């Protein structure tokens, strides 16, 4: 889907309920802020979907490089004709270079994930942690900048929450991610459980054991670190709501079932074609 379609029909096409609720909340605070929130959210969602689909990682890599260059050109005051220019220029006029610094972190994360899809190799633990924090923390930094006009202040424990949240998101989207060839587990963790993932091959039996253990740890970490939200500089009501959100993610994950049937799934094969392959 094109970027302008996502922006113009945001509430129709966006599937993440919490995202839509937050933007509606911004509308109550200030309709003008809602507009910038929709643009920022849609832009990141657009890039995310390009990578996560796994359909054409070379095209995704080219677009990431192109958008990176466009941000630099906008920051330098250039004017040009492109689909994203009108949105990037509006954000830059309002929030300056800082919004692009945060977007750059997203692009670096998308590039790392696209690299996983292209190579079939997961990140090592150190790279995984760094990319995870750089990919999740900017979500709330952008929110703070747009909604409240200030930098997000947070304790070190909030970074641990971001890692747990990333694991939660990965476990929830694991079928789609693996179908695209996106392996969002560090190599050391896969090796620990004897899980060897290869494009075009079904999940090994050992994957179920790793999934169960990671799921338990993620639930524990969400519960343990969710209170770090209370030590940020977000407004009191938002802190309570966000604290509750992360607690609800732990509950949702605890209630979830193993997402694969006995037939399993073939890594790197689009979900629409899974039924055509005998595992």
């Amino acid at each position: 889907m094109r970027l302008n379609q996502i922006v113009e029909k945001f509430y129709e096409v966006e599937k993440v309920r919490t995202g839509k609720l937050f933007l509606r909340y911004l509308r109550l605070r200030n309709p003008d802020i809602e507009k910038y929130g929709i643009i920022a959210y849609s832009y990141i969602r657009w890039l995310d979907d390009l990578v996560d689909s796994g359909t054409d990682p070379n095209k995704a890599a080219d677009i990431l490089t192109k958008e990176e260059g466009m941000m630099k050109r906008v920051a330098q005051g250039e004017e040009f004709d492109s689909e994203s220019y009108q949105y990037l220029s509006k954000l830059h006029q309002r929030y300056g270079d800082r919004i692009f610094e945060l977007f750059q972190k997203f692009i670096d994360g998308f590039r790392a994930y696209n690299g996983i899809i292209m190579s079939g190799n997961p990140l090592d633990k150190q790279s995984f942690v760094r990319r995870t924090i750089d990919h999740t923390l900017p979500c709330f930094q952008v929110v703070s900048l747009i909604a409240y006009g200030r930098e997000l202040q947070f304790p070190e424990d909030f970074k641990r929450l971001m890692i747990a949240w990333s694991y939660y998101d990965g476990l929830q989207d694991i079928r789609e991610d693996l179908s695209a060839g996106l392996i969002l587990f560090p190599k050391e963790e896969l090796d620990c459980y004897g899980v060897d993932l290869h494009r075009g091959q079904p999940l090994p039996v050992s994957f179920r054991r790793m999934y169960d253990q990671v799921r338990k740890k993620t639930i524990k970490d969400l519960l343990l670190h969710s209170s770090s939200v209370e030590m940020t500089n977000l407004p009191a009501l938002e802190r309570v709501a966000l604290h509750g959100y992360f607690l609800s993610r732990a509950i949702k994950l605890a209630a979830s079932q193993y997402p694969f049937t006995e037939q399993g799934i073939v890594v790197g094969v689009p979900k629409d074609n899974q039924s055509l392959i005998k595992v």
Side-chain angles (χ1 to χ4, degrees):
M1 185 176 293
R2 296 179 66 87
L3 175 58
N4 65 332
Q5 293 175 311
I6 300 175
V7 174
E8 294 170 7
K9 299 182 179 180
F10 176 78
Y11 290 110
E12 297 176 34
V13 301
E14 176 55 38
K15 297 179 180 179
V16 179
R17 183 168 173 267
T18 50
K20 292 193 289 188
L21 286 174
F22 179 74
L23 269 299
R24 286 196 171 102
Y25 165 71
L26 285 187
R27 181 194 300 172
L28 294 175
R29 286 178 57 90
N30 186 328
D32 190 46
I33 292 178
E34 178 205 22
K35 175 181 67 177
Y36 290 101
I38 287 177
I39 291 174
Y41 189 106
S42 299
Y43 183 71
I44 297 304
R45 171 64 70 186
W46 175 61
L47 293 177
D48 189 24
D49 288 345
L50 283 172
V51 173
D52 281 359
S53 67
T55 54
D56 193 341
N58 289 315
K59 178 182 178 181
D62 289 343
I63 291 176
L64 290 174
T65 299
K66 180 181 177 182
E67 292 301 316
E68 187 177 46
M70 285 186 185
M71 286 194 295
K72 293 178 181 178
R73 292 175 65 188
V74 171
Q76 292 169 357
E78 292 187 39
E79 296 184 8
F80 49 91
D81 183 26
S82 77
E83 183 177 7
S84 58
Y85 169 77
Q86 60 175 316
Y87 302 119
L88 291 173
S89 62
K90 286 179 181 178
L91 290 171
H92 188 259
Q93 287 171 11
R94 177 99 179 199
Y95 302 105
D97 291 345
R98 180 54 175 161
I99 192 74
F100 286 174
E101 291 172 1
L102 296 173
F103 280 5
Q104 182 63 53
K105 291 187 178 183
F106 282 113
I107 287 179
D108 290 342
F110 293 143
R111 187 172 282 127
Y113 294 160
N114 199 50
I116 294 173
I117 293 173
M118 295 178 77
S119 69
N121 298 320
L123 297 174
D124 61 73
K125 182 69 174 180
Q126 184 176 0
S127 298
F128 174 83
V129 170
R130 183 177 66 252
R131 287 303 177 200
T132 295
I133 293 175
D134 284 348
H135 194 61
T136 53
L137 188 55
C139 294
F140 296 97
Q141 291 174 305
V142 168
V143 165
S144 183
L145 184 63
I146 292 179
Y148 315 114
R150 64 193 184 205
E151 288 288 329
L152 177 70
Q153 297 176 4
F154 53 89
E156 190 67 23
D157 200 37
F158 191 71
K159 292 182 180 179
R160 300 184 184 95
L161 177 61
M162 293 296 95
I163 295 173
W165 185 43
S166 180
Y167 267 110
Y168 161 82
D169 192 53
L171 291 171
Q172 290 296 104
D173 295 339
I174 196 168
R175 175 175 286 276
E176 292 79 6
D177 288 344
L178 288 179
S179 294
L182 181 55
I183 306 169
L184 292 182
F185 300 95
K187 184 180 185 304
E188 292 85 343
E189 197 159 43
L190 294 165
D191 291 345
C192 179
Y193 293 96
V195 176
D196 200 7
L197 301 178
H198 296 283
R199 183 179 295 275
Q201 297 296 319
L203 293 178
V205 176
S206 55
F207 187 85
R208 173 65 185 268
R209 179 168 171 264
M210 187 193 78
Y211 175 90
D212 288 342
Q213 293 302 313
V214 171
R215 176 172 166 267
K216 290 178 182 178
K217 185 178 187 305
T218 301
I219 293 171
K220 177 183 176 181
D221 288 346
L222 284 169
L223 294 173
L224 181 63
H225 303 301
S226 62
S227 61
S228 64
V229 173
E230 303 290 352
M231 292 177 278
T232 67
N233 65 334
L234 293 172
L237 180 61
E238 282 81 344
R239 291 201 304 269
V240 171
L242 194 56
H243 191 173
Y245 166 78
F246 285 118
L247 290 175
S248 73
R249 298 309 88 182
I251 295 170
K252 183 177 181 179
L253 188 57
S256 65
Q257 302 295 321
Y258 186 64
F260 304 112
T261 63
E262 291 183 1
Q263 182 181 359
I265 193 171
V266 177
V267 178
V269 175
K271 58 183 179 181
D272 293 340
N273 297 336
Q274 290 282 336
S275 61
L276 304 178
I277 298 177
K278 294 183 179 180
V279 179

